[in-house]
Amino acid sequence: MGINDYAAVADLYDIYVPATFDIDFFITETKKISGDVLELMSGTGRVSIPLIEAGVNLTCVDKSAELNAVFAKKLEDLGLKAEIHQMDVRELELGRQFAMAIIPFNSFSHITSPVDQRKTLERIRQHLRPGGIFICTLTNPKVRQKTVDGQLRLLRIYPLPETGGELLLWIVENRVPEDARIVEALQFYEEYDSRGVLFSKRYIELYYRFTQRDEFEALARAAGFRVNALYGDYSRISFNEDSPFMIWVLEKAD
């Protein structure tokens, strides 16, 4: 099972993922270190661009040529620069080391095999200098799994500025029978014009894994990291069983 492909909705991604709740957190964390930062699974640059604007020397990696193209165009329009590499994080090979690596927006969960998760963590460690920091964000399975109920739900309605219409995003999520820790999600995208007439409908199939706290910590330690902190949200409150997120701050061990 490969990492999810957003090619079919690359042109819509910035419309339905306008989130900014984690931006200040990553700006603050990257400012704590001296050196270059590696952002993995960077998508269209939702987090990347604010970091670059804040003065972070950023290198970005994503496997999607389509998302990278959107990101590159945004950089060009803003007069900004960053290295962008099209690469699967499971096969990460850049030939250099960084002071920090980050995977925002729970994207690590899209690596659904524990073997691939371990391999990815080892690759990331190889790309960190001694004492380098890796920040990995995940949802808390106990909280997130409550919405995995097999029911088709309207997530949200988004305005389409170019047409004056609206984008309706629907989702249905089910556990994979072979492994209940893996979720199969279908996301449906309906575009309506200003008169409410449907003019485009498409969908993508996504998979993600619920990785428990103990499971991730064991993987991280086995890959050569030690845990510096585990936050439950982006205000840096300590993680507890009811926290919405698991925000791991790991350090490359000797």
Side-chain angles (χ1 to χ4, degrees):
M1 192 177 296
I3 295 177
N4 296 317
D5 186 358
Y6 287 86
V9 294
D11 60 316
L12 298 177
Y13 191 86
D14 287 339
I15 295 173
Y16 76 90
V17 187
T20 59
F21 60 85
D22 53 353
I23 300 299
D24 287 345
F25 173 87
F26 281 109
I27 289 175
T28 299
E29 293 301 313
T30 53
K31 290 295 186 180
K32 291 179 181 178
I33 57 96
S34 176
D36 296 349
V37 176
L38 173 63
E39 183 186 356
L40 302 169
M41 307 175 86
S42 50
T44 63
R46 182 188 67 84
V47 172
S48 324
I49 288 174
L51 291 181
I52 297 165
E53 290 176 330
V56 176
N57 191 7
L58 194 66
T59 296
C60 301
V61 172
D62 199 284
K63 73 182 287 286
S64 170
E66 292 79 7
L67 294 181
N68 285 340
V70 173
F71 181 19
K73 180 63 166 57
K74 289 161 67 175
L75 288 176
E76 180 182 358
D77 291 345
L78 292 168
L80 300 174
K81 293 184 179 180
E83 287 185 36
I84 304 175
H85 298 269
Q86 183 185 345
M87 192 177 299
D88 189 323
V89 293
R90 297 172 297 180
E91 305 295 337
L92 186 66
E93 185 54 67
L94 296 175
R96 54 185 290 217
Q97 292 186 321
F98 298 82
M100 176 180 282
I102 62 174
I103 299 184
F105 213 49
N106 319 312
S107 296
F108 187 83
S109 66
H110 293 275
I111 305 170
T112 56
S113 160
V115 173
D116 284 345
Q117 289 182 337
R118 167 76 179 268
K119 182 179 180 181
T120 300
L121 290 170
E122 290 173 345
R123 292 278 185 167
I124 293 169
R125 185 185 184 279
Q126 292 170 8
H127 285 76
L128 290 173
R129 70 188 188 189
I133 300 297
F134 171 44
I135 300 177
C136 185
T137 65
L138 293 166
T139 56
N140 179 2
K142 178 185 175 182
V143 175
R144 178 64 178 84
Q145 66 188 0
K146 294 176 182 178
T147 59
V148 181
D149 56 10
Q151 301 298 310
L152 181 64
R153 293 180 289 115
L154 177 63
L155 277 184
R156 192 170 171 184
I157 300 174
Y158 302 89
L160 292 172
E162 291 187 3
T163 66
E166 293 179 323
L167 169 68
L168 275 62
L169 175 58
W170 302 79
I171 189 170
V172 58
E173 298 173 304
N174 288 288
R175 302 293 184 109
V176 172
E178 296 79 12
D179 187 343
R181 292 166 294 184
I182 298 177
V183 174
E184 177 189 37
L186 292 176
Q187 290 188 177
F188 300 90
Y189 303 77
E190 297 178 347
E191 294 177 81
Y192 293 84
D193 65 19
S194 59
R195 299 169 298 157
V197 176
L198 177 68
F199 67 87
S200 174
K201 187 169 184 176
R202 44 187 140 159
Y203 80 95
I204 58 174
E205 186 177 37
L206 305 173
Y207 292 89
Y208 59 88
R209 182 181 185 86
F210 284 142
T211 302
Q212 301 293 334
R213 173 183 179 173
D214 292 347
E215 183 183 7
F216 183 84
E217 184 169 354
L219 282 168
R221 293 189 185 280
F225 289 98
R226 57 174 163 261
V227 179
N228 283 359
L230 174 58
Y231 302 123
D233 65 25
Y234 290 93
S235 64
R236 297 176 181 79
I237 294 175
S238 295
F239 175 82
N240 63 66
E241 63 177 13
D242 296 317
S243 298
F245 302 108
M246 294 190 293
I247 304 169
W248 295 87
V249 181
L250 308 177
E251 181 178 348
K252 180 177 180 178
D254 297 334

